[in-house]
Amino acid sequence: ELAVSALGASVFYLKKCLIDQELLSLANFEEYIPVDIEVEKAGDANSFFAKTKQHMVLDGVTLTNLEILQNGANGTLEGTLLERLDTCCTPFGKRLLRQWLCAPLCNPFSIDDRLNAVEDLMSLPEQVSELRDLLKKLPDLERLLSKIHSIGSPLKSQDHPDSRAVLYEETTYSKKKIADFLSALEGFKVMQEVIKVMEATVKNLKSKLLKRILCYKSSTS
């Protein structure tokens, strides 16, 4: 009952912000399992963490004290953990790294698999160099796909401001939409090249995470 009430409040807030239909139609939901409550129920914390996709909960004070995202001197990235680790070459990779640093893994199997992924990539320097060159060509696919989904969604109500907006430069906006769509398609072509580069070595990888990323769905099932 409390969960349903919380969901209702979240949906109400999304409606107030006029983004409920865009976000809810994505159906990208993830169950939140509180660490402290569920560990008490499980009895054995080790077995519990081994069976869930748990993340540590780091509040704002902890992130500040550990200087994860901002230093304590002037509030910039200089000297922070994010600055030291961030060598990402795509904007969505930078955002994902930031999320990982703010919510570190608790699951030992997931941690080991991530370490295996690092070891696998370090053993293939030539392929990794080629992959970085390809990834640098990628547009911000995460935001492009979200934008395309929003534009193409038939669920937008007539009460939404977009339905009442008068676009004086409609031709320009239409060209931008087409350009975004073509850019996303080009991004998928680059990802196919990434898979081809790793095709010969993917069978020897130890990391299940990398195998899922670098294989087509039909070949992993």
Side-chain angles (χ1 to χ4, degrees), residues 42-52:
D44 184 358
N46 293 326
S47 64
F48 171 74
F49 285 134
K51 295 178 182 178
T52 61

Side-chain angles (χ1 to χ4, degrees), residues 1-19:
E1 185 179 350
L2 291 175
V4 174
S5 299
L7 177 61
S10 300
V11 173
F12 175 79
Y13 179 73
L14 292 176
K15 284 185 176 180
K16 191 174 181 180
C17 296
L18 302 175
I19 56 174

Side-chain angles (χ1 to χ4, degrees), residues 38-88:
E38 294 296 331
V39 168
E40 290 176 3
K41 292 180 181 178
D44 184 358
N46 293 326
S47 64
F48 171 74
F49 285 134
K51 295 178 182 178
T52 61
K53 296 179 180 179
Q54 282 289 64
H55 296 79
M56 291 178 65
V57 179
L58 303 182
D59 58 18
V61 175
T62 304
L63 292 173
T64 301
N65 291 338
L66 294 177
E67 297 190 345
I68 303 293
L69 306 177
Q70 296 178 341
N71 64 38
N74 52 18
T76 64
L77 277 176
E78 186 178 359
T80 61
L81 181 61
L82 179 61
E83 185 201 30
R84 300 299 182 192
L85 297 181
D86 188 4
T87 58
C88 301

Side-chain angles (χ1 to χ4, degrees), residues 87-123:
T87 58
C88 301
C89 52
T90 62
F92 48 88
K94 290 179 180 292
R95 290 194 293 270
L96 181 60
L97 177 62
R98 190 184 183 95
Q99 293 174 15
W100 282 0
L101 292 180
C102 292
L105 288 171
C106 290
N107 185 331
F109 293 112
S110 297
I111 294 172
D112 287 340
D113 194 47
R114 193 177 285 179
L115 291 174
N116 288 336
V118 174
E119 186 177 346
D120 287 336
L121 293 175
M122 290 182 67
S123 66

Side-chain angles (χ1 to χ4, degrees), residues 174-190:
S174 298
K175 288 181 179 179
K176 183 67 169 64
K177 293 175 184 177
I178 295 172
D180 288 341
F181 183 72
L182 293 176
S183 180
L185 292 180
E186 289 298 323
F188 286 126
K189 289 181 182 179
V190 173

Side-chain angles (χ1 to χ4, degrees), residues 137-220:
K137 301 177 183 178
L138 282 177
D140 194 341
L141 279 176
E142 186 179 30
R143 290 187 173 175
L144 275 179
L145 292 177
S146 178
K147 186 186 296 185
I148 291 170
H149 171 81
S150 176
I151 293 172
S153 175
L155 300 175
K156 280 191 176 181
S157 66
Q158 295 181 354
D159 296 332
H160 196 282
D162 283 357
S163 64
R164 305 190 302 272
V166 178
L167 302 178
Y168 292 100
E169 298 182 3
E170 187 172 357
T171 303
T172 303
Y173 287 118
S174 298
K175 288 181 179 179
K176 183 67 169 64
K177 293 175 184 177
I178 295 172
D180 288 341
F181 183 72
L182 293 176
S183 180
L185 292 180
E186 289 298 323
F188 286 126
K189 289 181 182 179
V190 173
M191 290 309 302
Q192 285 185 318
E193 294 181 34
V194 168
I195 293 175
K196 288 180 182 178
V197 170
M198 297 295 291
E199 193 172 10
T201 58
V202 71
K203 293 181 179 178
N204 300 324
L205 299 177
K206 294 187 293 183
S207 172
K208 296 179 181 178
L209 176 64
L210 275 183
K211 286 183 178 180
R212 287 199 303 270
I213 294 173
L214 298 171
C215 291
Y216 292 109
K217 189 175 182 180
S218 58
S219 62
T220 56

